[in-house]
Amino acid sequence: MKPYLKYIVGAMLFAAFFCCYYFVAPHILYFQEQHHLFLWSADYWRNMAHLRGPLYPLMAFVVQFCYYPALGAAVWSLLLVLVYFMLQSVVYRLSGYRDLFQITTLVPVYLCSSMLTIDAYPMEPVRWFVWIFAIWALAMIFGGRRLPWVRRRMESREPGRRCWAWLSPLLAVVCLGAGYQAFVKERVAGPIHEAERTMIETEQSVRARRWADVLERTDAWAATGHKNHLMSYFRALALYHTGGLFDHLLDYPQTFGIRSLFFPWRGDKNQAEYGHYVYQDLGHINEAHRWVFEAMVGWGETAPLLNYMVEYNIAMGRPVVADKFLCKLEQSTFYGRRAEFLRGCLADGKVPGLRYAMEGVSPDPVRWNNVINIGGETKFILLKDPENEMARQYLLMSMLLVGNGDAAVRTLIEHYPVAENRVLPRLVQEALVMYRMSMGMDAINSLGYEISPEVENRFREYMVENAKGANARFNIGQRRSYWYYVQHILPRVNHDFSRKQAQSQS
């Protein structure tokens, strides 16, 4: 094989790896960049090397380039191609023969595949690169003509066969094709990893506050019948921000019940990084701060978490704490512009678009946040910020999702007075109709809210079908009703939740 052919194979490998990272798995590059942050600081190198190993800063240095997907794909591809070139050189200098069968291509193909899931730690390619570089350096110093069998091979100058000029790149193509089939297609295009991609891209839209896109993605997910707490949580947020929480939340079975609105605290680092979104939008910044801090315990000081810590501490009037985290963000490579913006926010004492519902509220007496029920937190928010529309809707919806009719009626009376809200959303009207069955007609009529004739007719049709028991055939509209949720979905939600609690305690 001619020496220049390895450069042709190297170019083929680079193109293949780049396409894999940039077109097939960009969500993985994004995920890794959001969970590892490189800082230009001696303290960072010292602390990370001590806590996570000496190669971690080098790995974070490579990962940081994924801030721009094309740049990240190019850097990772270049690192893997360098592994190929070094192995080619090692084989030649230790044996005197070229790698005619392109066995060395299998190593970078394997390393590429090792990153094609968010569960993989991107340390493997970096570790291989360092070890192979060390072997290559030793081979360059002590190999080649210093080895007698290599010297005899080089001095013999045996002519190579022309067939290797085309067979060697062909073998490289075969290795790439096998790698794509065995690793890329199986790992990235499978149902599990397609779900990973959907959830990561949905969270990207949540962070960018593209609520129409979030709703489109979560609706498509719900339509498949798959159950996922994170996607239900994101869908509820998107419905509130697009004005459809009461009208469309039950369009798909709410198999997580009230937990569709939030994450109860369970000490899980994978959930910890998502729990703050709802509290941030509610204006309950202290609770959002707690979730981000818990996520930082599990994931470390990543760029998104540092950003939130700066924002939240500015909003709560703690500039010294905000400056501490901001100084770290300023030491990064690609977040300088964001840090400059936050520096201006710190000078102004506020973050545009961030509501702090507890502003001016005395911390005395001390109150413990309710980490397992969002209903209690929304009640507390409304005591301090009665005009908080999101808190009103989430409080009422939480009462409905647990099937607490008495609490739902009290919430209506207190936060949705008849003078302003005589005509209620369809789902709330359906709840009143069901509540009327236990409290009586007079009790509901005395409230003063209207129940439309359409809701009354649909309730009669539902009860006729429900009376058939196991032979009932509910239509789509009936399955989306509050009555169906309370009688057919909520019992399963409570049963599954009780079973999981029993399992965790055992």
Side-chain angles (χ1 to χ4, degrees):
M1 184 182 73
K2 298 295 184 180
Y4 65 81
L5 287 178
K6 70 178 181 181
Y7 298 108
I8 297 176
V9 174
M12 293 165 51
L13 288 173
F14 181 88
F17 294 146
F18 181 87
C19 291
C20 175
Y21 287 131
Y22 187 69
F23 296 106
V24 180
H27 61 290
I28 295 174
L29 298 185
Y30 169 80
F31 180 87
Q32 299 297 357
E33 190 276 330
Q34 293 288 283
H35 290 83
H36 303 283
L37 180 65
F38 176 81
L39 301 180
W40 295 96
S41 165
D43 288 339
Y44 169 83
W45 280 83
R46 183 168 52 254
N47 294 336
M48 290 298 101
H50 174 71
L51 295 174
R52 300 189 179 185
L55 294 182
Y56 180 85
L58 180 60
M59 183 271 287
F61 176 80
V62 177
V63 168
Q64 71 173 337
F65 294 104
C66 297
Y67 181 85
Y68 297 107
L71 179 60
V75 170
W76 278 113
S77 300
L78 178 61
L79 183 141
L80 297 181
V81 170
L82 289 176
V83 167
Y84 165 76
F85 283 135
M86 288 190 294
L87 287 174
Q88 285 276 311
S89 179
V90 168
V91 169
Y92 182 67
R93 294 188 69 83
L94 294 184
S95 68
Y97 290 89
R98 303 289 181 183
D99 180 21
L100 302 179
F101 293 99
Q102 294 300 318
I103 302 300
T104 52
T105 60
L106 296 177
V107 175
V109 169
Y110 162 74
L111 294 177
C112 177
S113 72
S114 70
M115 287 182 57
L116 298 182
T117 171
I118 63 174
D119 294 327
Y121 199 55
M123 181 66 76
E124 194 76 1
V126 175
R127 182 182 292 112
W128 277 68
F129 177 86
V130 171
W131 280 107
I132 291 172
F133 178 81
I135 295 172
W136 172 80
L138 292 174
M140 293 295 290
I141 296 172
F142 302 106
R145 292 183 179 274
R146 291 181 175 82
L147 302 176
W149 60 88
V150 176
R151 184 170 61 252
R152 288 195 299 268
R153 165 64 182 168
M154 292 181 176
E155 290 175 352
S156 66
R157 297 183 179 180
E158 296 179 8
R161 297 180 181 179
R162 292 185 178 181
C163 64
W164 298 119
W166 59 267
L167 183 57
S168 188
L170 180 62
L171 290 173
V173 172
V174 171
C175 291
L176 285 172
Y180 174 80
Q181 181 67 29
F183 300 114
V184 178
K185 194 171 182 181
E186 294 293 332
R187 292 192 179 196
V188 179
I192 295 177
H193 298 284
E194 187 60 33
E196 287 180 351
R197 178 171 188 156
T198 300
M199 287 185 283
I200 291 172
E201 291 178 346
T202 302
E203 190 193 9
Q204 282 184 274
S205 296
V206 170
R207 288 181 177 178
R209 308 191 73 78
R210 299 192 298 266
W211 298 114
D213 182 58
V214 175
L215 189 57
E216 181 180 352
R217 290 178 181 275
T218 53
D219 277 349
W221 176 281
T224 64
H226 295 153
K227 300 177 182 179
N228 183 274
H229 190 181
L230 181 64
M231 296 299 278
S232 296
Y233 168 69
F234 283 157
R235 183 171 180 270
L237 277 173
L239 283 173
Y240 166 74
H241 286 287
T242 55
L245 185 63
F246 288 109
D247 292 325
H248 299 291
L249 185 66
L250 299 185
D251 285 358
Y252 300 97
Q254 293 302 302
T255 54
F256 294 96
I258 188 177
R259 291 180 296 139
S260 296
L261 303 179
F262 76 117
F263 277 99
W265 175 246
R266 300 186 186 283
D268 185 342
K269 78 168 188 175
N270 293 322
Q271 292 186 353
E273 61 178 329
Y274 305 118
H276 68 280
Y277 287 118
V278 64
Y279 293 107
Q280 173 182 301
D281 290 354
L282 282 167
H284 198 355
I285 303 302
N286 185 56
E287 180 64 7
H289 182 279
R290 184 187 70 81
W291 277 93
V292 170
F293 192 84
E294 296 286 0
M296 190 174 290
V297 172
W299 292 102
E301 294 176 333
T302 66
L305 298 181
L306 286 175
N307 176 80
Y308 291 129
M309 292 298 280
V310 175
E311 290 185 348
Y312 296 164
N313 281 287
I314 291 174
M316 291 188 291
R318 300 193 290 205
V320 176
V321 180
D323 183 70
K324 172 186 175 181
F325 293 107
L326 181 54
C327 287
K328 293 191 174 184
L329 198 61
E330 289 173 331
Q331 295 170 1
S332 64
T333 305
F334 297 105
Y335 288 92
R337 184 174 299 178
R338 181 62 185 176
E340 183 179 352
F341 169 78
L342 291 174
R343 182 63 67 182
C345 294
L346 181 59
D348 295 338
K350 60 181 180 180
V351 179
L354 187 62
R355 180 190 186 108
Y356 182 36
M358 304 300 167
E359 187 174 4
V361 176
S362 173
D364 296 321
V366 175
R367 173 187 176 274
W368 296 100
N369 292 343
N370 190 330
V371 298
I372 61 173
N373 192 334
I374 197 172
E377 292 308 292
T378 50
K379 278 185 178 181
F380 176 66
I381 292 171
L382 288 169
L383 288 175
K384 311 300 181 182
D385 185 16
E387 301 302 319
N388 192 318
E389 179 59 27
M390 185 175 181
R392 289 203 308 168
Q393 291 193 25
Y394 264 62
L395 173 59
L396 179 55
M397 183 59 75
S398 66
M399 298 299 103
L400 295 175
L401 289 177
V402 297
N404 192 334
D406 291 332
V409 169
R410 289 196 299 270
T411 301
L412 280 175
I413 294 172
E414 183 174 1
H415 299 290
Y416 292 88
V418 177
E420 302 173 9
N421 304 273
R422 188 175 184 84
V423 179
L424 297 168
R426 172 189 60 83
L427 188 147
V428 183
Q429 292 186 44
E430 292 175 352
L432 288 177
V433 170
M434 176 164 282
Y435 187 70
R436 187 176 62 192
M437 295 176 63
S438 59
M439 299 303 295
M441 183 74 72
D442 293 340
I444 295 301
N445 290 340
S446 65
L447 296 177
Y449 299 105
E450 291 185 0
I451 299 177
S452 69
E454 180 185 359
V455 171
E456 296 281 13
N457 292 335
R458 287 194 296 105
F459 180 65
R460 285 191 289 269
E461 294 172 358
Y462 170 83
M463 292 303 292
V464 170
E465 194 66 30
N466 193 57
K468 298 178 183 179
N471 297 322
R473 295 294 182 267
F474 298 102
N475 59 38
I476 294 178
Q478 291 167 343
R479 289 178 179 274
R480 293 176 174 177
S481 68
Y482 183 70
W483 317 306
Y484 184 86
Y485 169 79
V486 170
Q487 294 185 331
H488 298 278
I489 296 179
L490 185 57
R492 295 203 303 269
V493 172
N494 293 334
H495 176 266
D496 293 343
F497 184 68
S498 300
R499 183 182 61 186
K500 289 180 180 179
Q501 280 189 320
Q503 290 174 348
S504 64
Q505 292 173 359
S506 63

